[in-house]
Structures are given as structure tokens and as C-alpha cells.
Amino acid sequence: MSENNLVFFGVFNGLLISIIGESLGAVISFILYRKGINKWKRPFVLPFMSSGLVTFTSAFSKVFLGTFALASTIGKIPALIFEAGAVYGFMQVNLIGKIVISILLLSIIILIWKVKK
């Protein structure tokens, strides 16, 4: 989600626009995957994110486009609400707070990276 949606359209409308955009993106991917699968039958592996993998495997199935679109949209709503809340909250913090949050997040990322190594 782009914070621009929240800035320009407000929290509710920005979230609604993001949900619509995510849903349309999933539907378009589903249609393109399904058309591609019909033209190219051999198996292949590509680096997909989890929602992309769901869309990709759904295109192999016999699921109807409407069913996929509804399920995909419902599945995206909780994550988008959480993301909108985080972005909106971050936008409300002053510059010093944003710097502190950024330093904390960077420190956590570095710590996780060092522990995994």
C-alpha cells in the first residue's frame, strides 16, 4: 500500500482504493496466468510471493474467476487494514519520532541478521 493513498484520499477512502487495486491486480494476474498456462503447458517455477503463489496455483485449478476474486479480496482486507493503520500511525508521528522508529527498526533488522549468521 502506498501511503500516498492515505495522504491524498484519507484513511477510509485510501484503504478502499488500496483494496480495489490489490483485488484488480490479483484478478488480472489470475487471467494472465490462466491464458499463459493454456499456451504453455510445461511446468515452471518462478519466485512468487505467497499471494502470487496462491493466484498462480488458482489459475491451474478449475475455480471460477468470480469465486477467486471474492476470496482474494476477502483475504487481502485484514492485511491492508493493518498496513493502513501502521502507515497512518507513522504519518502522525513527528520527525524525531520517525527517526527513532527508523533507528529501532534498523537495529532489529541488523540484530536478526547477525543472529541468523
Side-chain angles (χ1 to χ4, degrees), residues 20-35 55 65 68-69:
I20 291 168
E22 289 275 344
S23 298
L24 286 176
V27 167
I28 290 168
S29 295
F30 178 88
I31 291 168
L32 292 175
Y33 289 149
R34 188 160 274 178
K35 286 182 184 274
T55 302
L65 177 60
F68 169 79

Side-chain angles (χ1 to χ4, degrees), residues 47-110:
F48 291 101
M49 299 299 287
S50 60
S51 66
L53 184 59
V54 170
T55 302
F56 182 72
T57 55
S58 296
F60 274 105
S61 73
K62 295 182 183 199
V63 68
F64 294 110
L65 177 60
T67 303
F68 169 79
L70 180 63
S72 180
T73 300
I74 291 170
K76 290 177 185 303
I77 289 173
L80 286 169
I81 289 172
F82 180 76
E83 188 177 339
V87 169
Y88 182 76
F90 188 76
M91 289 177 359
Q92 302 306 308
V93 176
N94 64 21
L95 179 62
I96 300 297
K98 288 178 183 174
I99 292 171
V100 169
I101 291 170
S102 298
I103 291 170
L104 286 172
L105 288 174
L106 185 59
S107 299
I108 291 169
I109 290 169
I110 292 170

